[in-house]
Every structure is written in C-alpha cells, then in structure tokens.
Amino acid sequence: MKKILIAILLVFALITFSFPDSALAAGDATNGGKLFAANCNACHMGGKNVVKQEKTLKKEALEKYGMYSAAAIIEQVTNGKPPMPAFRGRLKAQQIEDVAAYVLQQADKW
C-alpha cells in the first residue's frame, strides 16, 4: 500500500512540475492579445516597458522579478503596482486571465 501511495505521489509531482505555468494558464491567449493591444500596448508594446526599461515582459525579466506565472501576472494586472495602474473594474477577471495567458505565450518571443 505504501509503495502505491508513493508511486501516485511521484506521478502527481511529475505532472505538476513538468508543465510550466504558461501551459497551465486558463486564459484565452487570442482574446488576451486583443485585450493587451487595447489596454497594455501604450506601455508594453512589443513586450517592452516604457516606464521601467529593465522590467520588460520578456521571459528572462519575468523570471528575474518573480512574474513568470499566470498567478503573478493576474495579481499585477488586477491590483496594479505603481506606476502600473490596477485594471480591476476595467477588465473582468476572465479578461485578466486572458491577458496573462497572452503575456506568458509571448514572453519567449519578445
């Protein structure tokens, strides 16, 4: 019984940690791209950051600043963090998830 439990836990751990958070993002990246173009491009066109140049949306920068996950991006977009405004109230929760999925999808390309 103990061996079966260990095997199940091992399989669960492998599945959980084998997929990056970007693959598990529940949002619609296509819709997120449209929302990003309408709401985020002014400061983040092409994955850049016109206010804080080092904090781009490129994968390396997102990882460096602890933002390479859907949860972290959703938190940032929802609540903002100066100088970035909060989008709670402007965008619905599902729209913010879509933006997060788009950012994670694009992070390697920017």
mmCIF file with all atom_site columns, all heavy atoms in Angstrom, residues 39-52:
data_model
loop_
_atom_site.group_PDB
_atom_site.id
_atom_site.type_symbol
_atom_site.label_atom_id
_atom_site.label_alt_id
_atom_site.label_comp_id
_atom_site.label_asym_id
_atom_site.label_entity_id
_atom_site.label_seq_id
_atom_site.pdbx_PDB_ins_code
_atom_site.Cartn_x
_atom_site.Cartn_y
_atom_site.Cartn_z
_atom_site.occupancy
_atom_site.B_iso_or_equiv
_atom_site.pdbx_formal_charge
_atom_site.auth_seq_id
_atom_site.auth_comp_id
_atom_site.auth_asym_id
_atom_site.auth_atom_id
_atom_site.pdbx_PDB_model_num
ATOM 1  N N   . ASN A 1 39 ? -5.328 47.690 -24.124 1.00 0.00 ? 39 ASN A N   1
ATOM 2  C CA  . ASN A 1 39 ? -5.128 48.206 -22.769 1.00 0.00 ? 39 ASN A CA  1
ATOM 3  C C   . ASN A 1 39 ? -3.681 48.328 -22.311 1.00 0.00 ? 39 ASN A C   1
ATOM 4  O O   . ASN A 1 39 ? -3.403 49.071 -21.376 1.00 0.00 ? 39 ASN A O   1
ATOM 5  C CB  . ASN A 1 39 ? -5.863 47.302 -21.767 1.00 0.00 ? 39 ASN A CB  1
ATOM 6  C CG  . ASN A 1 39 ? -7.351 47.346 -21.930 1.00 0.00 ? 39 ASN A CG  1
ATOM 7  O OD1 . ASN A 1 39 ? -7.990 48.271 -21.472 1.00 0.00 ? 39 ASN A OD1 1
ATOM 8  N ND2 . ASN A 1 39 ? -7.914 46.364 -22.617 1.00 0.00 ? 39 ASN A ND2 1
ATOM 9  N N   . CYS A 1 40 ? -2.785 47.593 -22.934 1.00 0.00 ? 40 CYS A N   1
ATOM 10 C CA  . CYS A 1 40 ? -1.418 47.489 -22.401 1.00 0.00 ? 40 CYS A CA  1
ATOM 11 C C   . CYS A 1 40 ? -0.339 48.023 -23.345 1.00 0.00 ? 40 CYS A C   1
ATOM 12 O O   . CYS A 1 40 ? 0.778  48.321 -22.901 1.00 0.00 ? 40 CYS A O   1
ATOM 13 C CB  . CYS A 1 40 ? -1.094 46.032 -22.073 1.00 0.00 ? 40 CYS A CB  1
ATOM 14 S SG  . CYS A 1 40 ? -2.355 45.199 -21.087 1.00 0.00 ? 40 CYS A SG  1
ATOM 15 N N   . ASN A 1 41 ? -0.659 48.108 -24.626 1.00 0.00 ? 41 ASN A N   1
ATOM 16 C CA  . ASN A 1 41 ? 0.346  48.486 -25.627 1.00 0.00 ? 41 ASN A CA  1
ATOM 17 C C   . ASN A 1 41 ? 0.984  49.846 -25.384 1.00 0.00 ? 41 ASN A C   1
ATOM 18 O O   . ASN A 1 41 ? 2.137  50.053 -25.753 1.00 0.00 ? 41 ASN A O   1
ATOM 19 C CB  . ASN A 1 41 ? -0.250 48.454 -27.033 1.00 0.00 ? 41 ASN A CB  1
ATOM 20 C CG  . ASN A 1 41 ? 0.169  47.219 -27.793 1.00 0.00 ? 41 ASN A CG  1
ATOM 21 O OD1 . ASN A 1 41 ? 1.038  46.458 -27.365 1.00 0.00 ? 41 ASN A OD1 1
ATOM 22 N ND2 . ASN A 1 41 ? -0.477 46.998 -28.922 1.00 0.00 ? 41 ASN A ND2 1
ATOM 23 N N   . ALA A 1 42 ? 0.268  50.768 -24.780 1.00 0.00 ? 42 ALA A N   1
ATOM 24 C CA  . ALA A 1 42 ? 0.837  52.103 -24.566 1.00 0.00 ? 42 ALA A CA  1
ATOM 25 C C   . ALA A 1 42 ? 2.151  52.028 -23.784 1.00 0.00 ? 42 ALA A C   1
ATOM 26 O O   . ALA A 1 42 ? 3.096  52.754 -24.080 1.00 0.00 ? 42 ALA A O   1
ATOM 27 C CB  . ALA A 1 42 ? -0.162 52.994 -23.839 1.00 0.00 ? 42 ALA A CB  1
ATOM 28 N N   . CYS A 1 43 ? 2.236  51.130 -22.835 1.00 0.00 ? 43 CYS A N   1
ATOM 29 C CA  . CYS A 1 43 ? 3.451  50.991 -22.020 1.00 0.00 ? 43 CYS A CA  1
ATOM 30 C C   . CYS A 1 43 ? 4.260  49.739 -22.339 1.00 0.00 ? 43 CYS A C   1
ATOM 31 O O   . CYS A 1 43 ? 5.449  49.691 -22.040 1.00 0.00 ? 43 CYS A O   1
ATOM 32 C CB  . CYS A 1 43 ? 3.094  50.963 -20.537 1.00 0.00 ? 43 CYS A CB  1
ATOM 33 S SG  . CYS A 1 43 ? 2.395  52.514 -19.943 1.00 0.00 ? 43 CYS A SG  1
ATOM 34 N N   . HIS A 1 44 ? 3.612  48.728 -22.927 1.00 0.00 ? 44 HIS A N   1
ATOM 35 C CA  . HIS A 1 44 ? 4.275  47.431 -23.095 1.00 0.00 ? 44 HIS A CA  1
ATOM 36 C C   . HIS A 1 44 ? 4.324  46.938 -24.541 1.00 0.00 ? 44 HIS A C   1
ATOM 37 O O   . HIS A 1 44 ? 4.388  45.727 -24.766 1.00 0.00 ? 44 HIS A O   1
ATOM 38 C CB  . HIS A 1 44 ? 3.578  46.383 -22.226 1.00 0.00 ? 44 HIS A CB  1
ATOM 39 C CG  . HIS A 1 44 ? 3.693  46.637 -20.767 1.00 0.00 ? 44 HIS A CG  1
ATOM 40 N ND1 . HIS A 1 44 ? 4.871  46.543 -20.076 1.00 0.00 ? 44 HIS A ND1 1
ATOM 41 C CD2 . HIS A 1 44 ? 2.752  47.004 -19.856 1.00 0.00 ? 44 HIS A CD2 1
ATOM 42 C CE1 . HIS A 1 44 ? 4.667  46.826 -18.807 1.00 0.00 ? 44 HIS A CE1 1
ATOM 43 N NE2 . HIS A 1 44 ? 3.377  47.122 -18.637 1.00 0.00 ? 44 HIS A NE2 1
ATOM 44 N N   . MET A 1 45 ? 4.311  47.823 -25.513 1.00 0.00 ? 45 MET A N   1
ATOM 45 C CA  . MET A 1 45 ? 4.355  47.416 -26.914 1.00 0.00 ? 45 MET A CA  1
ATOM 46 C C   . MET A 1 45 ? 5.592  46.554 -27.164 1.00 0.00 ? 45 MET A C   1
ATOM 47 O O   . MET A 1 45 ? 6.694  46.899 -26.761 1.00 0.00 ? 45 MET A O   1
ATOM 48 C CB  . MET A 1 45 ? 4.369  48.624 -27.854 1.00 0.00 ? 45 MET A CB  1
ATOM 49 C CG  . MET A 1 45 ? 4.284  48.222 -29.322 1.00 0.00 ? 45 MET A CG  1
ATOM 50 S SD  . MET A 1 45 ? 4.273  49.639 -30.439 1.00 0.00 ? 45 MET A SD  1
ATOM 51 C CE  . MET A 1 45 ? 2.677  50.312 -30.077 1.00 0.00 ? 45 MET A CE  1
ATOM 52 N N   . GLY A 1 46 ? 5.372  45.414 -27.786 1.00 0.00 ? 46 GLY A N   1
ATOM 53 C CA  . GLY A 1 46 ? 6.473  44.515 -28.104 1.00 0.00 ? 46 GLY A CA  1
ATOM 54 C C   . GLY A 1 46 ? 7.125  43.898 -26.882 1.00 0.00 ? 46 GLY A C   1
ATOM 55 O O   . GLY A 1 46 ? 8.265  43.435 -26.940 1.00 0.00 ? 46 GLY A O   1
ATOM 56 N N   . GLY A 1 47 ? 6.411  43.876 -25.762 1.00 0.00 ? 47 GLY A N   1
ATOM 57 C CA  . GLY A 1 47 ? 6.946  43.287 -24.542 1.00 0.00 ? 47 GLY A CA  1
ATOM 58 C C   . GLY A 1 47 ? 7.885  44.192 -23.776 1.00 0.00 ? 47 GLY A C   1
ATOM 59 O O   . GLY A 1 47 ? 8.493  43.789 -22.794 1.00 0.00 ? 47 GLY A O   1
ATOM 60 N N   . LYS A 1 48 ? 7.978  45.433 -24.209 1.00 0.00 ? 48 LYS A N   1
ATOM 61 C CA  . LYS A 1 48 ? 8.875  46.376 -23.532 1.00 0.00 ? 48 LYS A CA  1
ATOM 62 C C   . LYS A 1 48 ? 8.157  47.038 -22.359 1.00 0.00 ? 48 LYS A C   1
ATOM 63 O O   . LYS A 1 48 ? 6.996  46.774 -22.087 1.00 0.00 ? 48 LYS A O   1
ATOM 64 C CB  . LYS A 1 48 ? 9.359  47.422 -24.528 1.00 0.00 ? 48 LYS A CB  1
ATOM 65 C CG  . LYS A 1 48 ? 10.202 46.799 -25.629 1.00 0.00 ? 48 LYS A CG  1
ATOM 66 C CD  . LYS A 1 48 ? 10.670 47.805 -26.617 1.00 0.00 ? 48 LYS A CD  1
ATOM 67 C CE  . LYS A 1 48 ? 11.476 47.078 -27.682 1.00 0.00 ? 48 LYS A CE  1
ATOM 68 N NZ  . LYS A 1 48 ? 11.773 47.887 -28.802 1.00 0.00 ? 48 LYS A NZ  1
ATOM 69 N N   . ASN A 1 49 ? 8.862  47.910 -21.683 1.00 0.00 ? 49 ASN A N   1
ATOM 70 C CA  . ASN A 1 49 ? 8.298  48.669 -20.573 1.00 0.00 ? 49 ASN A CA  1
ATOM 71 C C   . ASN A 1 49 ? 8.839  50.087 -20.709 1.00 0.00 ? 49 ASN A C   1
ATOM 72 O O   . ASN A 1 49 ? 10.024 50.313 -20.496 1.00 0.00 ? 49 ASN A O   1
ATOM 73 C CB  . ASN A 1 49 ? 8.701  48.053 -19.234 1.00 0.00 ? 49 ASN A CB  1
ATOM 74 C CG  . ASN A 1 49 ? 8.024  48.709 -18.049 1.00 0.00 ? 49 ASN A CG  1
ATOM 75 O OD1 . ASN A 1 49 ? 7.745  49.899 -18.054 1.00 0.00 ? 49 ASN A OD1 1
ATOM 76 N ND2 . ASN A 1 49 ? 7.776  47.919 -17.031 1.00 0.00 ? 49 ASN A ND2 1
ATOM 77 N N   . VAL A 1 50 ? 7.991  51.034 -21.079 1.00 0.00 ? 50 VAL A N   1
ATOM 78 C CA  . VAL A 1 50 ? 8.470  52.394 -21.323 1.00 0.00 ? 50 VAL A CA  1
ATOM 79 C C   . VAL A 1 50 ? 8.759  53.158 -20.036 1.00 0.00 ? 50 VAL A C   1
ATOM 80 O O   . VAL A 1 50 ? 9.474  54.153 -20.069 1.00 0.00 ? 50 VAL A O   1
ATOM 81 C CB  . VAL A 1 50 ? 7.487  53.207 -22.214 1.00 0.00 ? 50 VAL A CB  1
ATOM 82 C CG1 . VAL A 1 50 ? 7.315  52.550 -23.577 1.00 0.00 ? 50 VAL A CG1 1
ATOM 83 C CG2 . VAL A 1 50 ? 6.147  53.388 -21.540 1.00 0.00 ? 50 VAL A CG2 1
ATOM 84 N N   . VAL A 1 51 ? 8.251  52.689 -18.913 1.00 0.00 ? 51 VAL A N   1
ATOM 85 C CA  . VAL A 1 51 ? 8.470  53.385 -17.649 1.00 0.00 ? 51 VAL A CA  1
ATOM 86 C C   . VAL A 1 51 ? 9.703  52.843 -16.931 1.00 0.00 ? 51 VAL A C   1
ATOM 87 O O   . VAL A 1 51 ? 10.560 53.604 -16.494 1.00 0.00 ? 51 VAL A O   1
ATOM 88 C CB  . VAL A 1 51 ? 7.222  53.286 -16.741 1.00 0.00 ? 51 VAL A CB  1
ATOM 89 C CG1 . VAL A 1 51 ? 7.459  53.969 -15.413 1.00 0.00 ? 51 VAL A CG1 1
ATOM 90 C CG2 . VAL A 1 51 ? 6.011  53.889 -17.445 1.00 0.00 ? 51 VAL A CG2 1
ATOM 91 N N   . LYS A 1 52 ? 9.790  51.532 -16.804 1.00 0.00 ? 52 LYS A N   1
ATOM 92 C CA  . LYS A 1 52 ? 10.943 50.877 -16.158 1.00 0.00 ? 52 LYS A CA  1
ATOM 93 C C   . LYS A 1 52 ? 11.532 49.904 -17.172 1.00 0.00 ? 52 LYS A C   1
ATOM 94 O O   . LYS A 1 52 ? 11.108 48.746 -17.245 1.00 0.00 ? 52 LYS A O   1
ATOM 95 C CB  . LYS A 1 52 ? 10.515 50.147 -14.885 1.00 0.00 ? 52 LYS A CB  1
ATOM 96 C CG  . LYS A 1 52 ? 10.065 51.080 -13.786 1.00 0.00 ? 52 LYS A CG  1
ATOM 97 C CD  . LYS A 1 52 ? 9.844  50.324 -12.492 1.00 0.00 ? 52 LYS A CD  1
ATOM 98 C CE  . LYS A 1 52 ? 9.513  51.307 -11.386 1.00 0.00 ? 52 LYS A CE  1
ATOM 99 N NZ  . LYS A 1 52 ? 9.535  50.665 -10.081 1.00 0.00 ? 52 LYS A NZ  1
#
